[in-house]
Amino acid sequence: LPMPYTWIAGAILLGGTVVVAVCSHRLRDRVAQVKEQLRAGFAIIGSPRRYLVLVLAPCLVSYACRYGITIAVMSAFGIPITPTTVMLALAAHQVAGAIRFTPGGFGTTQAIDVMTLHAFAASSTVAAYSITQGLLMTTLTLVTGLLALLWSIRAGSDPTLATIRARRS
């Protein structure tokens, strides 16, 4: 190679070595962090009672609330309440959540709801139900998130909790 190309090749090789070294150092830290998270995550499975109380029970309550809200809103719009219609509505919302094209899935959710429930109620009724359901769930999520944020900020400023956190680390 001519002389200028040797310097360029050397600089690229040196730069590549530095990038690989920095990335491997950061990757090693990240892998260690993921291992620690997995260890903490699997710790709850080691105690079936803790798992049932801290994971399974809240999940079941959450699903029961979602079913309850769906049934209440469908009932308010006069959509027949049967196991089939409730499951179709819930499945439609899950599918719409997987293929969101807009913020909150609005539009996609309504289209899928109308498509799945049109045999049980008028399309305009199903669309109104779907919009109301979406607004209720979005509002509930935002309010719950805001309350959790405010609680965590307040808990973060509590000196007792700060002492407990300091002891753990």
Side-chain angles (χ1 to χ4, degrees):
L1 291 175
M3 189 64 149
Y5 294 119
T6 306
W7 285 103
I8 293 172
I12 290 173
L13 185 61
L14 179 64
T17 304
V18 169
V19 168
V20 167
V22 169
C23 287
S24 67
H25 178 70
R26 288 185 179 213
L27 185 61
R28 186 179 66 233
D29 292 343
R30 181 70 181 140
V31 167
Q33 184 181 15
V34 169
K35 278 183 179 179
E36 184 59 35
Q37 290 172 347
L38 285 171
R39 193 173 303 125
F42 282 116
I44 199 161
I45 296 174
S47 170
R49 185 175 184 284
R50 269 184 73 192
Y51 178 78
L52 291 173
V53 171
L54 297 176
V55 177
L56 187 62
C59 285
L60 292 175
V61 169
S62 172
Y63 282 116
C65 289
R66 181 174 294 273
Y67 294 149
I69 290 170
T70 300
I71 290 169
V73 177
M74 287 175 71
S75 174
F77 282 91
I79 299 172
I81 307 299
T82 65
T84 301
T85 57
V86 172
M87 289 302 143
L88 280 173
L90 290 168
H93 285 251
Q94 291 297 319
V95 169
I99 53 171
R100 293 177 188 226
F101 294 110
T102 60
F106 285 102
T108 308
T109 304
Q110 286 67 47
I112 293 174
D113 278 344
V114 168
M115 189 174 66
T116 57
L117 296 172
H118 74 277
F120 303 99
S123 294
S124 59
T125 303
V126 174
Y129 146 75
S130 184
I131 291 169
T132 303
Q133 171 97 2
L135 289 174
L136 282 172
M137 295 305 286
T138 301
T139 303
L140 182 64
T141 301
L142 288 173
V143 168
T144 305
L146 182 61
L147 290 174
L149 175 66
L150 293 174
W151 177 83
S152 68
I153 289 171
R154 175 152 169 17
S157 65
D158 186 350
T160 306
L161 291 175
T163 305
I164 292 170
R165 268 190 241 108
R167 286 182 193 157
R168 287 184 180 172
S169 53

